[in-house]
Amino acid sequence: MNITRKTLLSFSLILLTGCAKEKDIPLPVTSSSPEAVELFNTGIRHQLNHDFLLQPRYLKKALDLDPDFVLANLWINEPDPSKWLAHREKAISNKANVSDAERILVDMAVAQRENRIRDAIKLGEELVEKYPNSSDAYVHLGNATKGLNDFDRAEENYRKALEINPENLRALWQITSHHMNVYNGQVMRPKEQQDKTLARSYIDKMITISPDAGSFLQMRGNLLRANSDFEGAKEWYSRTLESRDLQNLPKSGILGVIAHNLLFNGEVEEAHEFYNRSIDASVRPAQKIGQWNFKIQAYLFVDDYHGAIKAADELLSQINDLGFSDSELYQNKRQVEFRKFLAFAHNKEQEKAYDSMMLLKNYRNKQMSSLEYDEIRERNFKILDAQQEAWYYLLFGEYEKANSKLEDLYALVSKIDNPTAMVDYRAMKGMVHLFSGDAQKALEYLDDTIETENYQYYSYYKALALKATEQDEEASSIFYDLANYNFNSWGASLVRSLSKEQLE
């Protein structure tokens, strides 16, 4: 088996470098099937254009031809946790049969999942050392370094990648994501370090490289929307929708983005029309759930808690019929129920919020029991349990119980080698002190790590603590940023209108 795969490795290298820049040596890809490599490359091109719904179509076909294809198993965009786990285990079990590059990439993915960030960085450095003429090697090292929020070093590696290949879309996109909001859950540079002009130049470069990729046109619209230029954003979103139509590509994502823009422009009814269109246009069940969650959050943005609960219940009434596996079903039920919990808690319905929190815990247990034992997943579920129970007690003024749960949380997260692992613990400790009347002590916990760009929910309470300690200018700056935060995330949905009230 090893001899066959090594022989075909040379073919893979020739195949991949045929259209690459002369000095950019792509990382090797090993497969027993030349056709599988072609399909894999096509899938990765869609991934680079951020067509993540198209990527798995080609990687699945590649895996049909070569089930042991390591990188296809490692990178396939699979929403079902049980299937994703099976692919990951397949990649790990076959890493000894492929190149050093592929083995390192597998080990990096495992280290990052286990929050062994420094180990991931060491592996990235090994990758660069062994493949110094590959632009992607530097991108992977930059991604690992970003795990420590070391933006300067991460961007240094992305720029090295661009020196080798100025058209490396991975590097261009990653630097851009440091300076503007391009997806939920990303970690950005602090606001004062962001360079919107740089972001725009890189977006324009990506549009030039891949003019048919609607995601880059959409990013130009997002840049305008971030600055509350909603009418200007509409033009770019229209171009994106037209591009998807002309290529007969999935449109759910851009329809949802158009809905976001309308929501933040105050066109709430029109926004919900587009959320409904995005739900109807979803091409797979997981995407449908995602668009529904955006719709639910749209109600939260305008403090319509009953509307959010009604929408969540409507979705839950049909979720069993969407064709999910057990693990996928409970994962998606958790996402929907979490938003119900937000609505109940912030509408001061304590008993219903408690019931919702317990249901979330029940779904996590059912999902865990439907999957093979996994230590990292079990730890992460315990972290979620402690976080949400602490948060519940905090919101309803039971501070002793909140502190008890926060100690449970600390015992879990203090052992994790990741700079963001302690954020929830520290932020909620700060909120306990704030609600208990000690705003100065609260600021010792709600410190510089709580950036408005990355932690909208906690930033609101940091601003309240600043206001309580008569640091009005700093507080008003945070309230202003939150009041004009034009992205659909659950955290921002709870504090955007509150921030407007504080400014008024």
Side-chain angles (χ1 to χ4, degrees):
M1 180 65 178
N2 288 354
I3 295 175
T4 304
R5 295 183 75 83
K6 287 181 180 178
T7 302
L8 286 161
L9 173 60
S10 300
F11 176 85
S12 301
L13 283 166
I14 295 170
L15 179 67
L16 283 171
T17 56
C19 59
K21 288 185 173 295
E22 184 177 351
K23 65 177 182 178
D24 186 12
I25 309 295
L27 295 173
V29 175
T30 308
S31 173
S32 60
S33 166
E35 186 181 351
V37 174
E38 292 180 6
L39 290 164
F40 172 83
N41 288 337
T42 301
I44 295 303
R45 280 194 288 273
H46 283 297
Q47 179 178 307
L48 293 176
N49 287 337
H50 292 265
D51 282 327
F52 294 109
L53 293 174
L54 296 179
Q55 183 252 43
R57 296 183 189 178
Y58 294 93
L59 268 60
K60 285 178 180 177
K61 291 178 181 178
L63 288 168
D64 286 341
L65 295 171
D66 179 6
D68 295 330
F69 197 151
V70 168
L71 288 186
N73 276 304
L74 184 66
W75 287 343
I76 189 168
N77 180 21
E78 176 53 68
D80 186 326
S82 58
K83 292 180 181 178
W84 177 82
L85 177 62
H87 285 301
R88 182 172 65 90
E89 292 302 319
K90 195 90 168 182
I92 293 171
S93 65
N94 285 294
K95 69 178 184 179
N97 300 327
V98 292
S99 67
D100 281 344
E102 293 157 287
R103 185 263 308 167
I104 292 170
L105 289 173
V106 171
D107 289 342
M108 285 181 75
V110 172
Q112 287 167 322
R113 180 175 182 269
E114 296 176 354
N115 288 299
R116 294 184 289 106
I117 305 301
R118 289 174 178 81
D119 288 344
I121 291 172
K122 289 179 182 178
L123 287 162
E125 291 169 344
E126 181 185 355
L127 186 68
V128 165
E129 182 180 351
K130 290 186 174 181
Y131 300 91
N133 296 318
S134 169
S135 63
D136 278 343
Y138 287 97
V139 174
H140 291 298
L141 175 56
N143 292 347
T145 306
K146 185 178 178 179
L148 291 177
N149 290 351
D150 189 344
F151 298 102
D152 290 337
R153 188 180 171 197
E155 289 191 20
E156 179 184 345
N157 281 289
Y158 298 143
R159 289 194 174 93
K160 285 180 180 177
L162 293 173
E163 288 174 9
I164 297 172
N165 181 0
E167 297 186 354
N168 188 307
L169 289 171
R170 285 189 175 100
L172 290 166
W173 192 89
Q174 287 289 355
I175 295 180
T176 303
S177 73
H178 289 184
H179 297 273
M180 65 168 286
N181 197 316
V182 294
Y183 67 96
N184 282 316
Q186 75 188 81
V187 179
M188 299 169 63
R189 281 184 174 275
K191 184 179 179 181
E192 63 274 10
Q193 296 179 16
Q194 293 174 18
D195 186 339
K196 302 301 185 189
T197 302
L198 177 70
R200 176 175 172 172
S201 69
Y202 280 175
I203 295 170
D204 289 343
K205 177 74 171 176
M206 288 186 279
I207 292 172
T208 301
I209 295 167
S210 192
D212 294 331
S215 55
F216 304 136
L217 300 172
Q218 177 182 314
M219 287 174 72
R220 282 288 276 113
N222 287 357
L223 194 61
L224 293 169
R225 189 180 87 205
N227 292 320
S228 298
D229 184 358
F230 304 112
E231 296 304 319
K234 286 179 180 179
E235 297 179 16
W236 285 96
Y237 295 150
S238 293
R239 287 181 58 181
T240 307
L241 185 57
E242 181 181 356
S243 173
R244 308 297 285 183
D245 274 329
L246 288 172
Q247 299 176 74
N248 196 27
L249 294 174
K251 295 178 289 188
S252 177
I254 183 56
L255 291 170
V257 169
I258 291 171
H260 302 337
N261 192 56
L262 291 166
L263 173 67
F264 296 123
N265 198 32
E267 302 172 77
V268 178
E269 290 187 12
E270 294 86 346
H272 279 289
E273 290 177 12
F274 272 89
Y275 283 126
N276 291 336
R277 288 179 61 184
S278 71
I279 291 166
D280 291 340
S282 297
V283 298
R284 68 184 187 187
Q287 186 185 35
K288 188 181 291 286
I289 298 295
Q291 296 304 317
W292 261 106
N293 284 332
F294 283 133
K295 178 180 174 66
I296 294 167
Q297 287 169 188
Y299 287 108
L300 297 177
F301 269 103
V302 295
D303 302 330
D304 184 356
Y305 301 117
H306 293 297
I309 293 164
K310 182 178 178 181
D313 285 338
E314 182 181 349
L315 173 56
L316 289 170
S317 71
Q318 57 185 272
I319 197 170
N320 289 345
D321 300 324
L322 295 180
F324 291 123
S325 67
D326 285 347
S327 61
E328 200 174 9
L329 177 64
Y330 292 125
Q331 175 176 274
N332 284 292
K333 282 187 173 183
R334 283 171 45 214
Q335 292 183 25
V336 182
E337 190 63 38
F338 174 68
R339 285 153 181 84
K340 281 187 70 176
F341 169 77
L342 298 178
F344 286 135
H346 285 265
N347 202 36
K348 306 302 181 185
E349 298 181 72
Q350 184 170 2
E351 186 175 340
K352 290 182 178 179
Y354 183 83
D355 290 342
S356 183
M357 180 178 67
M358 290 296 101
L359 192 53
L360 279 168
K361 188 171 186 175
N362 183 42
Y363 287 151
R364 281 193 288 273
N365 289 335
K366 286 185 175 180
Q367 184 183 354
M368 191 158 56
S369 65
S370 71
L371 296 165
E372 293 182 16
Y373 174 78
D374 182 273
E375 182 180 358
I376 299 301
R377 184 188 300 108
E378 183 171 349
R379 180 203 68 187
N380 290 343
F381 280 179
K382 288 179 179 178
I383 288 172
L384 283 173
D385 284 343
Q387 281 177 353
Q388 288 175 354
E389 290 188 50
W391 190 19
Y392 165 82
Y393 290 123
L394 177 59
L395 289 174
F396 289 102
E398 300 183 51
Y399 303 133
E400 287 187 13
K401 290 182 179 179
N403 273 323
S404 176
K405 289 298 177 182
L406 286 174
E407 292 309 307
D408 293 342
L409 178 61
Y410 180 83
L412 292 164
V413 298
S414 59
K415 302 172 185 177
I416 297 176
D417 180 24
N418 188 314
T420 65
M422 294 283 289
V423 168
D424 292 289
Y425 166 78
R426 290 186 58 79
M428 283 192 278
K429 285 289 284 186
M431 289 170 67
V432 169
H433 287 294
L434 175 65
F435 295 166
S436 300
D438 191 347
Q440 193 63 55
K441 186 69 174 178
L443 289 173
E444 294 180 17
Y445 289 92
L446 294 161
D447 55 18
D448 290 342
T449 61
I450 306 299
E451 286 284 345
T452 307
E453 297 293 339
N454 299 316
Y455 302 105
Q456 294 83 45
Y457 184 77
Y458 295 139
S459 290
Y460 174 75
Y461 295 99
K462 177 180 178 178
L464 288 181
L466 288 166
K467 182 178 179 180
T469 55
E470 299 183 353
Q471 300 178 65
D472 293 339
E473 185 175 346
E474 294 91 335
S476 294
S477 177
I478 293 175
F479 288 138
Y480 179 84
D481 289 342
L482 291 173
N484 293 279
Y485 187 83
N486 300 320
F487 289 86
N488 191 328
S489 68
W490 71 260
S493 72
L494 298 175
V495 298
R496 194 173 187 262
S497 61
L498 294 175
S499 298
K500 288 182 178 180
E501 292 173 9
Q502 289 292 332
L503 291 173
E504 292 167 358

